Amino acid sequence: MLPRVVVHNEMSLDARLDGLDVDMGRFYALAGTWHEDCTLVGSETILAAMPDIGSVEPSDAASGGPAGQQTDEASSAGPLLAVVDSRGRLPGLARLRGQPYWRDVIALCSESTPREHVDRLEADGVECVQAGAPRVDLRRVLEYLADRHQVRVVRVDAGGSLVGVLLREGLVDEVSVAVEPRLVGGESHRWLVRAPDAEPDDVVQLSLREVERFEDGMLWLRYDVADR
Ligand SMILES: NC(=O)c1ccc[n+]([C@@H]2O[C@H](COP(=O)([O-])OP(=O)(O)OC[C@H]3O[C@@H](n4cnc5c(N)ncnc54)[C@H](OP(=O)(O)O)[C@@H]3O)[C@@H](O)[C@H]2O)c1
């Protein structure tokens, strides 16, 4: 059985995930809507927030989470943090086990992930799941999280790359976006959805579920994926 998968992002009106002025308190208040059992994070998102995790030795550069998340919530009650990392770029993942929010960290790797990376994580006490090759088979790891860890709700905290793949594989149930009243412009690969090889048939139809307007002009839009 697959868990319910919700994508929640803050973006500009032109669908950019950078050049924003994110109120992190509000972002995580909205993100708490789903009470996820698991936060699914892309490797780039981890590296953008915590470049420290990309090396074995810790540095002073670490912040509080994929988007600087800080909370006093007890870790034993928090969600799992599952990180997609087929290339073994996050050797310092074990350092996230001590974060206050998540109850534990799982590395989602593939059968192509370097053996020494898997061995290092396991030696550090990090559960490492390998599915698919060369990239992670996202459907299989979601099924694993549901079966092995009783995960019923997953909130995706990632950029357009992971979001794009999840959407095209038909694994997303809900898309939630907080739209800042700004147009960033310019050229960037930081879009809400990235799908460089998308075909016309890959268009994802959405059905509006809810709209909320904030005093500063931000709109919070929630959509169900129509054919889920
Ligand atoms: N504004 C917001 O709400 C918000 C929220 C989150 C993140 N962000 C920003 O988004 C940026 C990062 O976004 P991003 O799009 O570059 O990266 P990302 O989505 O964080 O990371 C890409 C992920 O997609 C995986 N992936 C790519 N193709 C795949 C495939 N075919 N099958 C399975 N997995 C696949 C990669 O796995 P491998 O590692 O195995 O290749 C990687 O884990 C950062 O700047 C971050 O700050 C913004």
Side-chain angles (χ1 to χ4, degrees):
M1 192 186 73
L2 285 166
R4 177 173 180 78
V5 176
V6 179
V7 168
H8 174 66
N9 282 100
E10 185 151 334
M11 68 175 201
S12 64
L13 184 59
D14 50 345
R16 284 274 293 265
L17 299 183
D18 54 355
L20 303 176
D21 183 21
V22 181
D23 172 342
M24 296 310 295
R26 180 167 64 186
F27 181 90
Y28 281 107
L30 298 185
T33 300
W34 298 276
H35 302 288
E36 81 260 26
D37 306 305
C38 176
T39 316
L40 181 65
V41 185
S43 54
E44 291 292 343
T45 295
I46 290 278
L47 283 169
M50 293 171 286
D52 180 55
I53 303 301
S55 66
V56 181
E57 294 303 320
S59 75
D60 296 332
S63 65
Q69 188 162 354
Q70 295 283 357
T71 171
D72 293 333
E73 203 171 325
S75 61
S76 59
L80 290 169
L81 176 66
V83 184
V84 181
D85 180 24
S86 66
R87 291 169 283 171
R89 295 188 306 155
L90 306 173
L93 213 49
R95 291 199 286 281
L96 289 176
R97 299 189 78 203
Q99 293 284 323
Y101 182 71
W102 295 287
R103 72 173 188 270
D104 209 347
V105 176
I106 299 181
L108 304 178
C109 296
S110 76
E111 282 138 25
S112 305
T113 305
R115 186 70 238 170
E116 58 273 21
H117 178 73
V118 174
D119 289 346
R120 183 192 300 117
L121 289 182
E122 289 179 348
D124 288 346
V126 175
E127 182 180 352
C128 189
V129 183
Q130 291 179 268
R135 306 304 265 274
V136 175
D137 183 328
L138 297 167
R139 179 176 293 273
R140 271 175 59 199
V141 294
L142 286 170
E143 285 170 349
Y144 174 86
L145 290 168
D147 294 346
R148 177 73 180 80
H149 293 282
Q150 291 74 51
V151 168
R152 299 288 171 261
V153 178
V154 171
R155 178 177 62 84
V156 180
D157 192 351
S161 305
L162 185 57
V163 169
V165 176
L166 288 164
L167 279 165
R168 283 206 288 160
E169 293 189 7
L171 297 170
V172 178
D173 295 277
E174 179 177 344
V175 176
S176 162
V177 282
V179 185
E180 288 190 10
R182 59 173 60 202
L183 293 164
V184 174
E187 296 286 341
S188 170
H189 61 281
R190 304 281 189 232
W191 301 101
L192 176 67
V193 176
R194 292 190 69 211
D197 54 348
E199 302 287 340
D201 285 353
D202 291 329
V203 172
V204 176
Q205 296 295 339
L206 304 174
S207 164
L208 186 62
R209 166 196 279 251
E210 209 170 304
V211 179
E212 189 171 334
R213 179 182 173 159
F214 290 82
E215 274 189 4
D216 61 358
M218 193 181 84
L219 286 179
W220 181 27
L221 309 172
R222 292 178 62 186
Y223 297 89
D224 292 315
V225 175
D227 53 1
R228 286 284 291 160

